[in-house]
Amino acid sequence: MKFKTIYDIISISGAILAFVGGYFLVRSVYASTPHQIAEMSGTYIGGNKHLELAFVAQKVDTMIGWALTFFGTTLSMTSSFWMFETQSLRIVGLITLGITSIAFLGGLLSAKFFKNKIYLKTRAISFTHHVDSYLKHNSNHFNACKLIEDAKMYYEIETLIDKKLSDYKNLANILIYSGATPGAKYILELEGKQNGKK
């Protein structure tokens, strides 16, 4: 059986990318277990990290699924312009298998990378809200060390904490990372006042 090789490879590649894209579009919701759903619906000190992680996973999977589906559809449309004579089914089959494997692996690796990155940012922003609330209720007894412990224990953002820096500077860096620069400046001012009392 003969194929128009380039035409068939482009067409099949488009179909594969669209198929893999469809998988990523539904993966986060479809793969949710009853246990995970129970965790997401619970309430916790320091915010519901399970719900945040689920939203992050859905966002990342949707981004990757849309990109793969978009490129797959584009390839399928483009394939109509390629009409060359072919070679064998074996070559087309091997190329199809290779593209499928690369698409799945690339999608999974991309999802993991973006998920970790976005989740860290999300937890840091949640921690920033915690710091803001703490400042409103404990402005006279500010304890930077306690907030750093909260960041490690409840918010899991220890990767943003530099042991060489003071607790105040670490707090300021986390707030800057979260986009709360004015709050970071205020934290550093508090450190200056604290050092001035010594």
Side-chain angles (χ1 to χ4, degrees), residues 165-184:
L165 300 177
S166 69
D167 292 334
Y168 285 92
K169 284 186 174 62
N170 273 314
L171 283 174
N173 287 341
I174 293 171
L175 266 59
I176 290 170
Y177 176 78
S178 304
T181 305

Side-chain angles (χ1 to χ4, degrees), residues 12-13 15 30 63 110 113 133 141 149 155 167 180 194 197:
I12 291 171
S13 298
Y30 180 76
M63 286 166 47
S110 298
F113 172 77
S133 176
H141 305 286
E149 288 304 312
Y155 293 89
D167 292 334
Q194 185 69 26
K197 292 178 182 178

Side-chain angles (χ1 to χ4, degrees), residues 4-169:
K4 301 173 188 68
T5 310
I6 297 178
Y7 169 82
D8 290 318
I9 289 172
I10 292 175
S11 182
I12 291 171
S13 298
I16 289 169
L17 290 176
F19 172 76
V20 176
Y23 163 76
F24 278 99
L25 285 172
V26 300
R27 182 174 76 138
S28 298
V29 177
Y30 180 76
S32 297
T33 64
H35 178 71
Q36 290 172 324
I37 293 170
E39 287 180 333
M40 287 186 276
S41 61
T43 47
Y44 306 86
I45 295 174
N48 189 336
K49 64 182 181 182
H50 304 289
L51 186 60
E52 287 180 348
L53 184 58
F55 281 136
V56 168
Q58 288 175 31
K59 177 181 176 65
V60 169
D61 283 348
T62 301
M63 286 166 47
I64 292 169
W66 179 87
L68 289 171
T69 303
F70 173 79
F71 286 118
T73 305
T74 302
L75 279 179
S76 294
M77 289 166 45
T78 305
S79 66
S80 61
F81 296 101
W82 297 87
M83 303 292 291
F84 294 95
E85 289 299 323
T86 125
Q87 304 182 358
S88 68
L89 176 61
R90 184 180 176 189
I91 293 173
V92 174
L94 288 172
I95 292 174
T96 299
L97 180 62
I99 292 171
T100 303
S101 301
I102 291 170
F104 265 112
L105 183 60
L108 289 171
L109 291 175
S110 298
K112 184 177 181 180
F113 172 77
F114 286 112
K115 181 180 174 183
N116 290 338
K117 195 168 184 177
I118 295 172
Y119 181 62
L120 180 64
K121 183 90 170 184
T122 302
R123 295 304 290 165
I125 291 171
S126 291
F127 175 70
T128 298
H129 294 318
H130 173 63
V131 173
D132 181 56
S133 176
Y134 184 88
L135 283 168
K136 288 176 181 175
H137 298 93
N138 299 278
S139 57
N140 295 327
H141 305 286
F142 186 79
N143 189 335
C145 181
K146 180 189 180 307
L147 286 171
I148 289 297
E149 288 304 312
D150 288 348
K152 294 176 183 176
M153 187 178 299
Y154 301 118
Y155 293 89
E156 301 174 354
I157 54 173
E158 49 273 298
T159 55
L160 298 177
I161 297 169
D162 187 344
K163 293 179 181 178
K164 297 176 183 176
L165 300 177
S166 69
D167 292 334
Y168 285 92
K169 284 186 174 62

